[in-house]
């Protein structure tokens, strides 16, 4: 006789049922109405509706207020190794054609948006970075490693996990498959080389999500004096230089980020435009620096970190976006282009755009809106609440 415990079964509140049917990927602890037994991290939990019909199946996480992360909904399915293999293949198929021959930094699995809730897989050249945000995934790591090795062969796999979770067998930055790291990871994005800090960096080591905006900025940069505010390691700065910028000023509060920016610049010396482009790295608080700056720039990018980490920060963040846009507009040269970006999930595209438009009105300048952009296609969004990235392109008339 098997001693396996019975399937973990849950019923949830009517509101949570509706949300699940609409495709929402999470069940919160407070919406659970019935549960047949306690569950362990990573156990499969099956959610039934009032009529005992299958609603969804997901990963149980007793340590998180997000008690179940949905893997599958609709018709019942057996979640086994084959299912995970097909599931990974589906995510990879979606990305076919997204990376050009000059790009080997790409998101392969985008969490909830690919029905891998709380799990992200990014590729940087020969290295995969698997980042998990729930301890439910720890017990699946051997399986995922095998699947990744089969479907994306010959890559090193590095595990990253969010700070609030831990496991006795794994640690953040652990190489869970492939060769030890004997040198920093360099990858290519549209032919520009960057270091990715895969062991300790934010997210998985680089902000891959801004790729398409960087490509656009390159198109606008010819002969421009460029200001890149919140530059991090110079993504926008290097694209602008390659696009023929006259000079690039990069502002960041982090010395480490600016040191990396310089290293990234050195990596790309073979490109004549990058090699020839004068650039200044300015370590400063961007808000304070912008207030006192007077020099005018024909191309300005302002891409701050998330200014609303929690819902409670939303109003203050909207105010800060407006302030940044006001500063950017003040420093914009005639006919100049200002790109304002936001990566705060708690601030909607509508709210962000409104804040920037309010700044435009306050500036008294005649400004044309060129474009509003969202996520790069490898970071596609299927869960509206998880839409975080937006950028607006403005041109002074
Ligand atoms: N634009 C970047 C990503 C920006 S990440 C890219 O395309 O890759 C946010 C950056 O803002 C980080 O590098 C962080 O060091 C910096 N930062 C955070 N607070 C800051 C502040 N008050 N002033 C200047 N830089 C700041």
């Amino acid at each position: 006789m098997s001693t396996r415990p019975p399937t973990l079964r849950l019923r949830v509140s009517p509101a949570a049922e509706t949300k699940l049917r609409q495709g929402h990927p999470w069940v919160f602890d407070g919406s659970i109405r019935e549960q047949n037994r306690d569950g362990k991290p990573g156990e499969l939990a099956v959610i039934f509706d009032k009529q005992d019909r299958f609603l969804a199946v997901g990963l149980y996480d007793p340590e998180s207020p997000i008690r179940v992360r949905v893997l599958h909904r609709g018709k019942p399915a057996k979640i086994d190794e084959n299912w995970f293999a097909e599931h990974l293949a589906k995510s990879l198929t979606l990305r076919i054609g997204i990376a050009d021959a000059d790009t080997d930094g790409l998101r392969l699995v985008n969490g909830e948006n690919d029905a891998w809730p709380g799990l992200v897989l990014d590729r940087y050249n020969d290295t995969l970075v698997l980042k998990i945000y729930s301890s439910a995934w720890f017990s699946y790591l051997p399986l995922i490693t095998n699947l990744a090795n089969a479907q994306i062969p010959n890559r090193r796999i590095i595990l990253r996990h969010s700070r609030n979770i831990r496991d006795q067998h794994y640690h953040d930055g652990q190489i869970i498959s492939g060769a030890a790291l004997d040198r920093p990871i360099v990858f290519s994005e549209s032919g520009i080389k960057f270091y990715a800090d895969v062991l300790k960096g934010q997210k998985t080591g680089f902000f891959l999500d801004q790729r398409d905006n960087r490509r656009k900025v390159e198109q606008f940069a010819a002969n421009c004096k460029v200001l890149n505010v919140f530059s991090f390691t110079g993504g926008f700065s290097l694209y602008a230089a390659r696009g023929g910028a006259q000079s690039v000023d990069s502002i960041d509060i982090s010395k480490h980020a600016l040191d990396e920016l310089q290293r990234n610049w050195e990596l790309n010396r073979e490109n004549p435009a990058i090699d020839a482009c004068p650039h200044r790295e300015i370590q400063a608080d961007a808000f304070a620096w912008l207030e006192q700056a007077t020099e005018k720039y024909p191309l300005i990018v302002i891409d701050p970190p998330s200014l609303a980490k929690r819902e409670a920060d939303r109003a203050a963040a909207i105010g800060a976006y407006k302030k940044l846009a006001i500063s950017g507009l003040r420093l914009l040269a005639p006919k100049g282009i200002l790109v304002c970006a936001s990566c705060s999930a708690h601030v909607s595209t509508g709210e962000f755009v409104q804040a920037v438009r309010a700044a435009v009105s306050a500036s008294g300048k005649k400004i044309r809106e060129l474009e509003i952009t969202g996520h790069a296609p490898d970071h596609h969004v299927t869960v509206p609440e998880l839409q975080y990235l937006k950028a607006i392109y403005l041109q002074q008339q």
Side-chain angles (χ1 to χ4, degrees), residues 202 206-207 210 214 228-236 251-254 257 284-287 303-305:
Q202 295 185 52
F206 197 76
F207 293 99
Q210 285 286 29
R214 289 193 274 267
N228 181 12
V229 189
F230 304 98
S231 67
F232 187 55
T233 59
F236 283 106
I251 317 291
D252 202 283
I253 203 163
S254 155
D285 170 61
F287 291 91
D303 176 30

Side-chain angles (χ1 to χ4, degrees), residues 68-262:
V68 181
R69 290 164 201 261
V70 173
L71 291 169
H72 171 81
R73 64 190 177 88
K75 292 205 181 84
K78 189 160 180 243
I79 308 295
D80 56 9
E81 203 171 321
N82 286 335
W83 185 88
F84 275 106
E86 278 173 28
H87 200 47
L88 179 60
K90 222 184 280 172
S91 297
L92 300 181
T93 305
L94 270 178
R95 270 99 186 154
I96 291 173
I98 291 181
D100 56 44
D102 294 326
T103 300
D104 59 20
L106 193 74
R107 175 145 300 186
L108 301 175
V109 172
N110 192 28
E112 280 71 3
N113 299 294
D114 283 306
W116 286 88
L119 183 149
V120 153
L121 184 65
D122 284 347
R123 176 187 166 196
Y124 296 99
N125 194 342
D126 64 352
T127 297
L128 301 177
V129 182
L130 177 65
K131 180 144 186 184
I132 57 172
Y133 296 85
S134 159
S135 50
W137 283 113
F138 281 118
S139 58
Y140 291 84
L141 291 178
L143 168 64
I144 294 170
T145 304
N146 285 341
L147 297 177
N149 281 332
Q151 296 186 29
I152 323 158
N154 304 320
R155 315 255 185 245
R156 173 191 295 112
I157 306 178
I158 293 177
L159 173 70
R160 299 291 309 275
H161 66 69
S162 52
R163 263 182 247 154
N164 56 333
I165 60 170
R166 57 192 77 253
D167 182 89
Q168 54 182 10
H169 303 295
Y170 295 102
H171 64 84
D172 190 38
Q174 184 172 335
I175 298 175
I176 55 175
S177 181
L181 261 185
D182 52 0
R183 68 187 106 87
I185 302 290
V186 174
F187 72 101
S188 178
E189 190 187 83
S190 328
I192 302 183
K193 290 185 201 129
F194 292 100
Y195 286 102
D197 184 1
V198 290
L199 294 179
K200 293 210 182 83
Q202 295 185 52
K203 297 212 174 180
T204 59
F206 197 76
F207 293 99
L208 293 172
D209 52 2
Q210 285 286 29
R211 183 190 313 108
D212 288 10
N213 284 321
R214 289 193 274 267
R215 287 175 175 165
K216 284 186 197 295
V217 162
E218 177 174 11
Q219 301 307 315
F220 291 125
N223 303 316
C224 288
K225 254 184 4 184
V226 177
L227 174 64
N228 181 12
V229 189
F230 304 98
S231 67
F232 187 55
T233 59
F236 283 106
S237 304
L238 280 148
Y239 274 78
R242 190 173 68 174
Q246 205 182 85
S247 65
V248 179
D249 288 347
S250 304
I251 317 291
D252 202 283
I253 203 163
S254 155
K255 178 168 186 313
H256 179 70
L258 295 176
D259 289 347
E260 289 300 293
L261 187 158
Q262 283 176 352

